[in-house]
Amino acid sequence: MPKNQEVIAIYSRKSRFTGKGESIGNQVELCRAYIRTAFGDDLADGAVVFEDEGFSGGNLNRPDFKRMMRAARERRFRAVVVYRLDRISRNISDFSALIEELGRLDIDFVSIRESFDTSSPMGRAMMYIASVFSQLERETIAERIRDNMHELAKTGRWLGGITPTGYTSEAVRTVTVDGRSKRACKLKLIPQEADIVRRIYALYCETGSLTMTEAELLRCQIRTKTGRSFTRFSIKGILQNPVYLMADRDAYEYFIEKQADLFSPPEEFDGVRGILAYNRTAQQKGRATVYLPVSEWIISVGQHPGLIPSGTWIHVQESLERNKSRAYRRPRRNEALLTGLLWCRCGSRMYPKLSGRVTADGKPVYTYVCKMKERSKRSLCRCSNAGGRALDDAVLGQVGQLSGDGGVFAARLEQGRRFFAGSREESDSQLEDLRQQQAGTERKIGALVDSLADFDGSTAASHIRQRIEELHARSAGLQARITELEERTDRHALSGAAFDRLRQTLTVLRDGIDGMTAEQKRTLLRTVVRKVVWDGECAQVVLFGAQDGAAAGALWGEDSK
């Protein structure tokens, strides 16, 4: 059995940044001091640190925790030291599995706050007992949060965040039974945006299709709150949001049937006000937002006017549910070679669309379709589709001709390699900057949320809530840019070894392209082709290091450089 390296690991975690108390830095220094006392200065100074800031202890889905476990399986350290037991996990099953795995790897686990050490039987027993109380604390916290949601639901007030299309947030002052004055927020109607919401519902009811609704909004150049084009995702978010539902008797019966938690009596469903639903989503850092079933919602009649009659809203929900089974599924096997490289003359990307037919040798038939043409239903672009296999073969043929001159082809490959290396470094730098900006924004939000309690009832509270809303919108925008950049970086992430193998293979074998798999062909194209532009009749292939033609320059502006 391989032996573990003589290294000690330190793991620290905190749900959110505060800069005081049990901060990440404080935990690490306390653990390092313990290692210095128990194991010596050399191991303390050489301890490897794993940090997860802003992640819950409810599960193990944390980036540095995963990195630590990969290192443990590679036997890179002999012990893990934490400041406190619940820094690792508040879940018994997760914790038990972790201790068992570390035991199999001969890695000791030490918690300095509770003085537990798994190198002894008593230490292991006490560790499990403490983990039971840790999970009890977690479940108690979760129960307390839900109780708070119940209390907030009784008020029907807006709790902050990005306001839905059609509304803005405004502060209102209320007087309690004991004469105290309190400030809260409610949604205020924006007539122009409300008309857009009504139009979206009307379009969907008319077409029964998110795609057709999107196309009409694009054709009419109707924009979101932030000035962007509506997408199927944003349209669906509006259609599913109960904030627009007029609270009447049918709405009450709908939520009763769906077994939602109702915190407004039937008489408050007056057919005028809208609905506020709490606990609609489960959000965890590092994971996509999960939309909970209606049975998990906490429902209250809000203080804002509703926009959509209950009959219409319920009909839309039933239609969306039916359409789930017919939703488009991306084919698992993608033989298209120009995905990510092919652009339409209008400036939009083109993507492969299966026809459902096959060729004589059993291969699927596909065409490349302009995304803007598809989304707008030909209202903003009428460029002809491109035959998938014919265009792939033509581009491959052009690239294959380069292999006739080994020196020229090797030069093209090297240009591609340098471009991707530089692009990757630039993307990594941008990603790091964006992540730092987002972390700073989240810290500001956390600090402002903490300060709300100190300013409750004062004029400052409304300004704080408005600032929180602005920061939420900024954080969402940063996350969208991070996701886009990560996807673009991953698409271009080709290793130096892959470039070397292609250069060695294709400069020697003139006909090497013919024996490649679809994935290998895609890799080849991405090393030498910067983009392919389709004008409806022919395609222009632009290589790395080459000047774009006049037509490409006219179509693509600065990108033609």
Side-chain angles (χ1 to χ4, degrees):
M1 181 183 293
K3 188 177 180 181
N4 295 325
Q5 297 180 21
E6 284 296 314
V7 176
I8 306 294
I10 296 173
Y11 180 76
S12 59
R13 178 192 67 78
K14 191 161 189 182
S15 296
R16 62 182 176 83
F17 175 84
T18 61
K20 58 184 180 181
E22 297 172 2
S23 68
I24 291 285
N26 291 346
Q27 291 178 43
V28 171
E29 288 308 311
L30 289 167
C31 290
R32 202 182 294 276
Y34 172 86
I35 296 170
R36 199 177 303 280
T37 301
F39 299 98
D41 291 342
D42 290 343
L43 287 177
D45 294 336
V48 58
V49 177
F50 300 92
E51 302 176 350
D52 281 315
E53 185 155 18
F55 290 89
S56 166
N59 60 68
L60 302 180
N61 185 35
R62 299 169 236 142
D64 250 30
F65 178 84
K66 291 179 179 178
R67 192 165 64 88
M68 180 184 75
M69 292 309 297
R70 284 196 297 270
R73 292 170 191 126
E74 295 169 2
R75 299 184 177 275
R76 294 185 184 176
F77 50 82
R78 53 170 281 201
V80 177
V81 178
V82 299
Y83 169 66
R84 205 171 68 190
L85 195 62
D86 60 3
R87 299 303 87 192
I88 282 286
S89 178
R90 294 179 182 270
N91 182 287
I92 295 175
S93 60
D94 287 343
F95 180 79
S96 301
L98 169 68
I99 296 301
E100 289 176 8
E101 182 172 7
L102 292 178
R104 287 194 300 271
L105 297 169
D106 292 326
I107 296 175
D108 295 330
F109 180 86
V110 179
S111 174
I112 63 176
R113 178 73 177 270
E114 293 90 354
S115 300
F116 293 157
D117 186 342
T118 57
S119 60
S120 69
M122 182 59 70
R124 285 193 295 272
M126 293 302 295
M127 192 92 60
Y128 283 118
I129 292 171
S131 71
V132 172
F133 285 99
S134 180
Q135 176 161 342
L136 175 63
E137 179 186 4
R138 173 174 167 262
E139 291 173 352
T140 302
I141 291 171
E143 187 175 304
R144 192 181 305 136
I145 290 172
R146 189 167 181 87
D147 288 343
N148 286 340
M149 282 187 179
H150 286 165
E151 290 303 311
L152 290 169
K154 294 176 182 177
T155 68
R157 72 186 193 190
W158 176 250
L159 300 183
I162 300 174
T163 53
T165 302
Y167 298 98
T168 186
S169 176
E170 70 170 351
V172 293
R173 184 179 294 276
T174 58
V175 179
T176 61
V177 291
D178 57 0
R180 294 179 58 191
S181 176
K182 282 192 174 183
R183 293 175 65 87
C185 289
K186 75 170 187 176
L187 293 175
K188 179 183 178 182
L189 198 68
I190 303 176
Q192 298 86 348
E193 289 186 10
D195 289 341
I196 294 175
V197 172
R198 294 188 185 100
R199 186 166 185 175
I200 288 172
Y201 273 86
L203 284 170
Y204 183 80
C205 288
E206 179 184 340
T207 63
S209 166
L210 291 171
T211 302
M212 296 295 291
T213 303
E214 177 192 39
E216 182 62 16
L217 294 175
L218 284 170
R219 188 187 68 80
C220 298
Q221 298 185 355
I222 296 174
R223 304 282 180 170
T224 65
K225 266 180 175 289
T226 56
R228 298 180 178 180
S229 297
F230 277 99
T231 64
R232 281 173 292 181
F233 180 80
S234 57
I235 292 168
K236 187 176 182 181
I238 288 175
L239 294 175
Q240 289 182 320
N241 198 335
V243 74
Y244 304 112
L245 170 60
M246 291 180 178
D248 59 12
R249 186 68 189 182
D250 288 340
Y252 179 84
E253 296 294 340
Y254 173 83
F255 289 119
I256 289 290
E257 181 184 342
K258 295 293 183 180
Q259 299 181 338
D261 247 344
L262 277 170
F263 270 79
S264 293
E267 54 269 20
E268 290 194 16
F269 285 74
D270 53 13
V272 176
R273 291 179 291 171
I275 292 289
L276 284 181
Y278 306 85
N279 200 45
R280 285 184 64 217
T281 61
Q283 298 178 355
Q284 292 182 2
K285 192 163 185 175
R287 288 188 177 183
T289 298
V290 176
Y291 287 88
L292 300 175
V294 180
S295 58
E296 297 285 328
W297 296 3
I298 300 171
I299 297 295
S300 175
V301 176
Q303 300 176 20
H304 63 283
L307 292 177
I308 307 300
S310 61
T312 301
W313 191 87
I314 294 171
H315 167 73
V316 167
Q317 309 316 303
E318 293 170 347
S319 174
L320 290 170
E321 189 65 29
R322 283 194 306 271
N323 289 346
K324 271 185 181 180
S325 60
R326 295 185 282 134
Y328 169 75
R329 298 288 185 270
R330 182 177 296 175
R332 294 190 179 187
R333 184 181 177 188
N334 182 9
E335 296 192 3
L337 304 183
L338 300 180
T339 305
L341 293 177
L342 186 60
W343 296 79
C344 177
R345 67 187 180 195
C346 73
S348 181
R349 287 189 183 273
M350 298 185 73
Y351 68 96
K353 187 174 183 180
L354 291 173
S355 66
R357 296 178 287 114
V358 295
T359 60
D361 53 357
K363 295 181 179 179
V365 175
Y366 56 90
T367 56
Y368 287 107
V369 182
C370 171
K371 193 168 186 179
M372 180 56 71
K373 172 185 170 182
E374 189 82 352
R375 289 179 62 199
S376 68
K377 296 301 176 187
R378 303 176 67 89
S379 65
L380 300 182
C381 177
R382 293 180 174 272
C383 184
S384 300
N385 297 343
R389 292 195 180 277
L391 184 57
D392 287 352
D393 291 343
V395 174
L396 274 176
Q398 288 292 317
V399 173
Q401 290 178 10
L402 291 172
S403 61
D405 184 335
V408 173
F409 192 52
R412 291 288 186 224
L413 282 171
E414 189 57 37
Q415 287 172 345
R417 177 176 181 167
R418 287 199 301 268
F419 177 87
F420 278 122
S423 177
R424 182 61 187 256
E425 291 175 4
E426 182 181 351
S427 296
D428 287 345
S429 175
Q430 291 178 14
L431 274 172
E432 181 62 26
D433 182 54
L434 289 172
R435 286 171 180 147
Q436 288 180 1
Q437 290 183 46
Q438 189 184 38
T441 303
E442 291 296 329
R443 287 196 291 270
K444 290 177 183 178
I445 291 173
L448 288 172
V449 170
D450 289 342
S451 68
L452 267 177
D454 299 331
F455 293 97
D456 190 30
S458 71
T459 56
S462 62
H463 297 294
I464 292 173
R465 291 190 183 92
Q466 183 178 354
R467 181 58 177 159
I468 290 173
E469 189 171 324
E470 293 171 356
L471 290 173
H472 269 302
R474 172 177 167 78
S475 180
L478 288 169
Q479 183 58 53
R481 290 167 62 191
I482 288 171
T483 301
E484 179 184 358
L485 196 55
E486 285 175 340
E487 290 176 352
R488 191 169 67 200
T489 301
D490 289 342
R491 281 199 304 269
H492 293 169
L494 297 174
S495 68
F499 280 106
D500 291 338
R501 285 194 298 272
L502 284 168
R503 179 168 52 188
Q504 293 165 10
T505 301
L506 295 175
T507 54
V508 175
L509 302 176
R510 183 183 181 89
D511 299 324
I513 292 176
D514 296 333
M516 288 184 168
T517 65
E519 187 59 41
Q520 289 170 331
K521 291 176 182 178
R522 271 195 291 269
T523 302
L524 165 65
L525 289 175
R526 280 160 175 71
T527 64
V528 292
V529 176
R530 178 150 61 90
K531 66 184 178 186
V532 179
V533 183
W534 174 251
D535 66 4
E537 295 181 358
C538 60
Q540 182 181 27
V541 180
V542 182
L543 303 176
F544 289 117
Q547 294 293 323
D548 288 356
L555 281 170
W556 295 92
E558 292 183 356
D559 195 48
S560 64
K561 295 178 181 177

